[in-house]
Amino acid sequence: MRKFYFTPGPSQLYYTVEEHLKNALKEGIPSISHRSKDYEKIHHHTVEAIRSLLALPDDYHIFFTSSATEIWERTIQNMVDTESFHLVNGAFSKRFFEIAENYRINAMSQVAEEGEVVEAEELLIPETAELIAITHNETSTGASQPVEDIKKIRKAFPDQLISLDVVSSAPYVNLDYNLIDTAYFSVQKCFGLPAGLGVWIVNNRCLQKAQTLLNKDRVIGSYHSLPSLLEKSIKNQTPETPNALAVYLLGKVATDMVDKGIEQIRRETEYKAAVLYQAFEQSNILKPFVAKELHRSKTTLVAETTIPSKEIISKLSEKSFVVGSGYGKFKDKHIRIANFPTHSKEHVEILADELLKIKK
Ligand SMILES: *Cc1c(COP(=O)(O)O)cnc(C)c1O
């Protein structure tokens, strides 16, 4: 029986991936040299498709890494000399903070309860912090930081570098990227692609910061340092042998999303999220984990369960729906449901009906 993956990453592949994959094999994409004109064309196409989909400013750069986790480490190496500040409200934002701590810098954090966000008004960020790290969508709890908060933080801290994790919300998040200096995502969440590719967006302030650190004789990493990534990206290449197939597929899916229209994708995401949250509210075994509606994620929805979540997961699995368990300590107390662009309205409506059929 064919399964439908509503897991928050890896998830159901974007519905056009199968066809693009077949074409890629026919065209021999996995065999082409990464120093060839053919690869450069693919690389350029993918970069421009992402720029267009996210409406990125022309002077922002797009680099490829192995994952978002790698970008956390590269961000600390390239953009922080002594101090970083992290808004922490769950496992992913905490992991970035811990990586910063590993670098023996003065990593500071302000922590919110799980299921909440650090309120912009309550933030106490020292002026000396060089980087402010924000997670737009905390996938472990389903809490999302409103874009309005990011505007407020930018206004209060014009000189600091702001890093935004949009791993499980891009391209849905409607963001003016001029507000932030660096953002990043992995392709196995909303883009519906096989895991193993990270996309790192940086502006020139980030590049200048890396250069300043280099001038001070700091170690900023080697092949994936910002200057090294920039040098190759100017030629539409990467420092190492990249996964050309993944770069190709990302370009195709981003183009499909541009053709569909980002506004349409956002409207559908909001409709499907409303259907699922309504099911959480009506169900007698579920309730939304995030109490404040304003902070509820539209792309990774988390429900608290009154029966062990594995029972719910197993009942849905009989109907071919695969949903996620809770993250970490919430494993048996939550279910997590991805609402990505590939998930159709029809499937979401059926999933909501199936959720309502499960009773105590
Ligand atoms: C999945 C996820 C990551 C990590 O992505 P990897 O591809 O595993 O490196 C980071 N941040 C958030 C919010 C995520 O959901």
Side-chain angles (χ1 to χ4, degrees), residues 32-253:
I32 63 175
S33 160
H34 57 295
R35 302 294 176 224
S36 66
K37 283 274 166 284
D38 284 343
Y39 175 76
E40 290 173 8
K41 247 192 250 164
I42 292 166
H43 187 112
H44 180 71
H45 174 263
T46 300
V47 164
E48 290 315 311
I50 292 167
R51 190 183 303 287
S52 161
L53 180 65
L54 304 183
L56 291 181
D58 287 341
D59 58 349
Y60 278 45
H61 309 269
I62 299 169
F63 302 138
F64 299 122
T65 67
S66 69
S67 63
T69 303
E70 180 188 347
I71 296 166
W72 284 332
E73 179 145 334
R74 302 301 178 201
T75 301
I76 298 303
Q77 287 176 318
N78 285 267
M79 299 183 201
V80 183
D81 188 8
T82 57
E83 277 187 33
S84 65
F85 188 94
H86 302 252
L87 280 66
V88 172
N89 63 337
F92 290 101
S93 43
K94 184 159 176 247
R95 184 81 191 101
F96 189 10
F97 168 64
E98 288 168 350
I99 287 176
E101 283 187 311
N102 287 343
Y103 273 80
R104 310 263 190 278
I105 58 168
N106 180 19
M108 295 169 282
S109 66
Q110 193 160 329
V111 181
E113 293 289 318
E114 277 152 313
E116 298 178 9
V117 306
V118 181
E119 300 279 352
E121 289 75 16
E122 289 165 16
L123 267 172
L124 291 168
I125 305 176
E127 287 287 334
T128 47
E130 296 149 80
L131 177 93
I132 302 170
I134 310 169
T135 303
H136 173 254
N137 191 73
E138 179 45 83
T139 317
S140 66
T141 65
S144 191
Q145 191 92 38
V147 170
E148 280 309 310
D149 289 359
I150 297 158
K151 285 189 191 154
K152 286 178 198 157
I153 298 169
R154 170 47 85 206
K155 209 161 165 222
F157 298 94
D159 299 329
Q160 278 72 5
L161 294 177
I162 295 182
S163 143
L164 190 66
D165 179 329
V166 290
V167 177
S168 55
S169 57
Y172 164 73
V173 55
N174 193 354
L175 177 77
D176 173 2
Y177 283 81
N178 285 299
L179 288 170
I180 53 96
D181 299 285
T182 175
Y184 52 93
F185 61 87
S186 306
V187 299
Q188 77 275 21
K189 311 272 166 103
C190 299
F191 285 84
L193 286 159
L197 184 67
V199 177
W200 193 9
I201 297 158
V202 303
N203 68 9
N204 288 318
R205 296 214 305 173
C206 301
L207 292 167
Q208 279 152 15
K209 180 74 190 213
Q211 195 55 52
T212 309
L213 296 179
L214 260 188
N215 295 348
K216 284 189 180 178
D217 224 18
R218 295 285 191 276
V219 176
I220 62 168
S222 57
Y223 76 108
H224 272 180
S225 69
L226 283 178
S228 165
L229 286 163
L230 177 69
E231 186 196 328
K232 291 294 184 194
S233 89
I234 290 167
K235 295 192 274 188
N236 290 303
Q237 292 186 8
T238 55
E240 79 288 31
T241 317
N243 184 340
L245 178 62
V247 174
Y248 170 94
L249 291 175
L250 175 58
K252 292 293 180 188
V253 165

Side-chain angles (χ1 to χ4, degrees), residues 265-322:
I265 289 173
R266 288 185 181 133
R267 268 197 304 276
E268 287 181 9
T269 302
E270 278 155 23
Y271 167 78
K272 293 180 293 164
V275 168
L276 287 168
Y277 280 121
Q278 192 181 24
F280 291 177
E281 305 269 14
Q282 285 174 354
S283 159
N284 70 354
I285 52 158
L286 301 172
K287 83 169 201 243
F289 177 56
V290 177
K292 267 199 185 164
E293 241 182 279
L294 177 67
H295 297 155
R296 283 182 195 159
S297 169
K298 300 283 199 290
T299 51
T300 59
L301 291 67
V302 178
E304 233 177 304
T305 64
T306 57
I307 61 175
S309 67
K310 58 174 177 289
E311 291 176 25
I312 301 170
I313 292 166
S314 127
K315 287 212 170 100
L316 292 173
S317 161
E318 288 164 19
K319 306 286 177 186
S320 312
F321 291 116
V322 186

Side-chain angles (χ1 to χ4, degrees), residues 14-15 53 171-172 174 256-273 339-346:
Y14 195 67
Y15 54 89
L53 180 65
Y172 164 73
N174 193 354
D256 292 338
M257 288 180 174
V258 169
D259 292 345
K260 175 163 184 169
I262 190 65
E263 289 310 321
Q264 175 79 6
I265 289 173
R266 288 185 181 133
R267 268 197 304 276
E268 287 181 9
T269 302
E270 278 155 23
Y271 167 78
K272 293 180 293 164
N339 174 27
F340 295 158
T342 198
H343 297 117
S344 71
K345 287 190 271 190
E346 293 71 23

